[in-house]
Amino acid sequence: MAFLRSKSSKVEMLKNVPLFRGLSQRQVEQIARLADEFEVPAGKRLASAGDIGHELFIIVDGQVTVTTQSRRTIKLGPGEFFGEMSLIDGGPRSATVDAATPMKLLVIGHREFWELLNEAPPLAGKIMRALSQRLRDAEAAVTA
Ligand code: CMP
């Protein structure tokens, strides 16, 4: 379900999302223009491993469970994001992601995602750092 809020309160909300800290007012306004806000109930499937992925999701409120293809489960919460892998390499969803609680999410489409990375290079750096961390964690889980 989409929900409405004024442009200025959306910008204020975005400034509190850690992923967007350090961005300029203009960059945050750009994100407000490109990102849609959604609420979903607990239990909603947000991504299915193997499917084609069209969006990046940023968690504003609530928690998701990521279930990897090796059946490892990872919880992600406010300020974290998922769905970036399919957008970056065009491959299928690498894991299944379910809402573990009722959630507020920001959703950014494929074209808008690339537009945003061009407009806000610090954001690209943060996404690359998170990807690198996820790879290290996955490697550590395999070798544990
Ligand atoms: P994508 O492959 O597009 O869709 C599933 C998402 O789950 C994936 O992008 C990542 O955002 C997330 N994901 C996959 N594996 C992990 C992991 N090991 N740790 C955290 N998130 C993951």
Side-chain angles (χ1 to χ4, degrees):
M1 185 205 358
F3 61 99
L4 297 172
R5 64 163 102 210
S6 72
K7 181 173 168 251
S8 62
S9 83
K10 190 173 181 187
V11 169
E12 287 314 306
M13 183 274 290
L14 290 174
K15 282 184 181 165
N16 288 322
V17 175
L19 184 62
F20 302 139
R21 291 221 180 105
L23 300 186
S24 68
Q25 177 75 14
R26 204 185 68 82
Q27 288 169 331
V28 176
E29 283 174 3
Q30 175 89 339
I31 294 166
R33 194 172 61 74
L34 296 176
D36 290 322
E37 270 182 285
F38 280 92
E39 286 183 336
V40 297
K44 171 87 178 163
R45 177 142 299 175
L46 297 163
S48 299
D51 281 4
I52 294 172
H54 297 289
E55 308 95 359
L56 168 77
F57 298 88
I58 298 148
I59 303 172
V60 177
D61 265 331
Q63 244 191 3
V64 294
T65 305
V66 177
T67 306
T68 68
Q69 301 203 53
S70 60
R71 311 304 301 163
R72 202 159 66 91
T73 59
I74 298 141
K75 296 276 190 203
L76 300 177
E80 295 185 287
F81 59 87
F82 58 94
E84 75 293 349
M85 290 173 66
S86 292
L87 295 196
I88 290 170
D89 70 1
R93 294 293 194 203
S94 60
T96 294
V97 185
D98 295 305
T101 64
M103 312 202 54
K104 285 183 187 166
L105 293 160
L106 288 170
V107 184
I108 297 177
H110 185 262
R111 191 171 50 80
E112 291 78 11
F113 173 73
W114 288 107
E115 202 177 311
L116 213 52
L117 293 191
N118 285 329
E119 293 290 328
L123 188 60
K126 289 185 183 191
I127 290 174
M128 283 164 66
R129 263 194 297 284
L131 264 174
S132 175
Q133 189 63 52
R134 285 175 184 176
L135 184 59
R136 287 181 198 281
D137 290 348
E139 184 68 14
V142 168
T143 53

